[in-house]
Amino acid sequence: MVRSLLFCLGLGFSLALTAAERQHMVDRLLPLTSVAASINNLPSQLSQLPVLLPVEGQAKHRLTDLYLNALSTSFEAETALAGIRSYLIQNVEKQHLSHVLQWYESPLGRQVAAVQRQCAAEISDIFQVSTLSDELDAMTVERRRLLSTIVKQLAYTQTMFSLMESMMPTMMEAMAKRSGQVPLSSYKLAEFQTKFEFRMFQLRRQLEPILERHLLAAYAYTYREFSDTELSAFIAFNGSAAGSRYLQQLNASYAQVGLDWLTQVIPTIIGREDLARTAALE
């Protein structure tokens, strides 16, 4: 009995220590990365959600207005950063965090992080740089291959679409619960889901090639001072067990932050029965 109690106490202490170590490493890591700067781009991504709403007419216009108003007034970067920090602490293992932190504290890691922070802070301006097409035209085949790999590894486009996909079920569920005397049948929900999936398919087909080309050009500009050897080292880190795990969980944390925000504000977006009833009927 005593031995079991001591074992449990020891295990609890060990888990608490590991959690504290992960917290310490995340707190050292985040200031080195572009996470804080990239959070400022989240509202522009979140603002795309109304395009995918599976309703039409008056209901869609009213839902869109309410949604965008909530986004402009209630999204807080500090809250989002705290959510990402918490997510990483909970979901990235200690050994992976240690390797990621070691890389970001290396000379090359610090250089990459510096240009990533600048890119995240100025992404909209970078997309409009007139020389971006020249950057693409001037690239060698090997340079294009390296940068295309980085675009794929960082998964900016995929993260944006995953963010919207993760939020839509919450929106539809709220519409169902607030449907008043016209409850949404399982058929209606299935219809909503079909419409959403079709619109997501259309949006992906239209935007993905454009975004991928813009990102390739933006990264050509952002990493223009890095040699092919340095980009290869960056790719190797991203593809390592620690690097890929970190990127996977970091991108997942953005989706979770978006979902947490939507869950909090959904009553102000769909808080009137006549609005939800209109959406159900149309």
Side-chain angles (χ1 to χ4, degrees), residues 80-110:
L81 181 59
I84 290 173
R85 172 183 178 273
S86 177
Y87 192 95
L88 293 177
I89 291 170
Q90 294 176 25
N91 292 283
V92 183
E93 298 78 5
K94 173 186 170 184
Q95 68 271 24
H96 291 327
L97 281 173
S98 178
H99 287 302
V100 172
L101 183 59
Q102 182 178 13
W103 191 85
Y104 270 103
E105 288 183 334
S106 71
L108 179 58
R110 288 183 180 275

Side-chain angles (χ1 to χ4, degrees), residues 143 220-227 230:
R143 189 74 172 182
Y221 178 80
T222 299
Y223 298 108
R224 63 192 181 280
E225 302 297 333
F226 290 79
S227 68
E230 290 170 327

Side-chain angles (χ1 to χ4, degrees), residues 144-277:
R144 181 181 289 268
R145 184 189 70 79
L146 292 170
L147 289 168
S148 295
T149 300
I150 293 173
V151 169
K152 183 177 180 180
Q153 288 178 328
L154 299 186
Y156 178 90
T157 304
Q158 180 59 44
T159 300
M160 182 184 73
F161 287 118
S162 296
L163 177 66
M164 292 188 285
E165 286 175 334
S166 69
M167 294 171 66
M168 185 55 71
T170 298
M171 181 74 83
M172 290 190 292
E173 182 181 355
M175 290 166 60
K177 288 182 177 179
R178 298 292 297 179
S179 60
Q181 297 178 354
V182 188
L184 294 178
S185 64
S186 58
Y187 172 80
K188 193 67 178 181
L189 285 173
E191 179 186 337
F192 273 16
Q193 184 65 28
T194 299
K195 287 182 178 179
F196 165 67
E197 290 174 355
F198 179 69
R199 289 176 183 177
M200 176 60 79
F201 170 77
Q202 287 183 311
L203 191 65
R204 277 183 174 274
R205 186 176 62 179
Q206 293 169 4
L207 287 185
E208 275 188 337
I210 297 172
L211 286 174
E212 294 294 315
R213 179 175 172 80
H214 278 218
L215 284 170
L216 183 61
Y219 287 178
Y221 178 80
T222 299
Y223 298 108
R224 63 192 181 280
E225 302 297 333
F226 290 79
S227 68
D228 287 358
T229 300
E230 290 170 327
L231 291 183
S232 295
F234 181 35
I235 289 170
F237 162 71
N238 290 336
S240 68
S244 59
R245 175 65 174 173
Y246 167 70
L247 286 174
Q248 178 190 51
Q249 295 305 312
L250 176 62
N251 290 338
S253 73
Y254 288 113
Q256 186 60 54
V257 163
L259 183 57
D260 289 344
W261 169 80
L262 182 63
T263 302
Q264 179 182 358
V265 302
I266 201 74
T268 66
I269 299 172
I270 306 177
R272 294 176 55 184
E273 293 183 357
D274 61 325
L275 173 62
R277 187 179 299 115

